[in-house]
Amino acid sequence: MVRVFAPATSANLNVGFDNLGVALKPLDGTLGDEVRIEAAAVDSFSVTGPYAHEIHGANIVERALACVREITGNLEPVSLELYKGMPVGSGLGSSAASVVAAVLACDEHYGNRLGERARIKLMGELEARLSGGIHWDNILPCALGGLRLGASCLPVPAGWIWLVAYPGIRLETRAMRAVLPESVPLHDAVEQAARLGRFVDALYRGDGREAASLMVDTMIEPYRAPSIPGFDTIKAALLAAGALSAGISGSGPTIFAVFDDPKAAGKALERARLWTSAVSGKPAGDSFSKLCGADKGAFAVLCTVDEAGARVLPPDGKPAGKE
Ligand code: HSE
């Protein structure tokens, strides 16, 4: 059996709309999707995991299989399983994780014929069918790991802690792009470009505080924030708790924040859990594993950067979500 895990990602990060993204790994457990594939007498497809109920009808994972078969010319039947370890429409790169894990797993199973470039191209094309456009800011960090501006891997300040809080409601990327204006004032575009340039420069100089101070979004957030219940309140609470930056993860509704102080991150996590339970109407748990097993909905977790990205797992290990 081939097993591939693909991590959650947070795109945009305030300063890099459609270009910047980071792969994330909870301090406690993992967050992402897993695809398992093995030879079988006939083709079969199943969806398991805490968010399996959110997957309906023909799945992108089956399309990935069809595409890999078409390219490789290998039609040998398989048993294919998607372990859906993260919520759909969450702003955490859920569709990217499924697509990335599926393409890598299918290619591995059929003898690794595509290679990295062709795999990544196919991942982008498949994800575009799901969400209405190619989001490299999810696909590239998910596939390759790390903090990425396009395909370029950026240095992450030592000690940064990331918080992601998912409030248990679904926002489709397609819909959240439809709320955006078709053009932005020249002044705003110039300011945002300058911030992104200075952000990259600060990272390379190892100045995490300055880099975080540049993670500001005046272009996209005002249009999307009204779709996220209590966004302004929770963002202010996270900043008051000591976040260096906070904002919308991808197209929402998950919010993200960055810290360089573990105490501040812990305090913010408590506030984030109050917010997720208020929005989802469910009690806040005290660890991701517990939430994942218990209510399968909203959660808030502290993360580090997942440097590895999508990876082949040992065939006989536990499900990725239970590691
Ligand atoms: N950059 C994309 C957006 C990411 O914000 O629409 C979608 O996950």
Side-chain angles (χ1 to χ4, degrees), residues 18 60 63 88-91 93-97 99 123-139 171-178 224 251:
D18 274 355
I60 197 73
R63 282 190 221 155
V88 174
S90 57
S94 178
S95 57
V99 165
M123 290 166 185
E125 287 166 5
L126 285 166
E127 209 260 345
R129 289 195 213 169
L130 266 187
S131 52
I134 302 183
H135 300 119
W136 293 117
D137 49 347
N138 286 123
I139 292 283
L171 293 177
E172 300 296 343
T173 298
R174 207 182 283 264
M176 294 305 282
R177 294 186 80 84
R224 288 179 166 175
S251 56

Side-chain angles (χ1 to χ4, degrees), residues 25-31 288-289 320-323:
K25 179 164 68 174
L27 302 182
D28 170 17
T30 54
L31 181 58
F288 172 69
S289 312
K322 306 288 179 198
E323 274 174 8

Side-chain angles (χ1 to χ4, degrees), residues 166-169 273-284 295 297-299:
Y166 164 65
I169 57 171
R273 284 186 172 154
L274 290 176
W275 173 69
T276 59
S277 57
V279 177
S280 67
K282 290 173 182 161
D295 85 11
F299 58 82

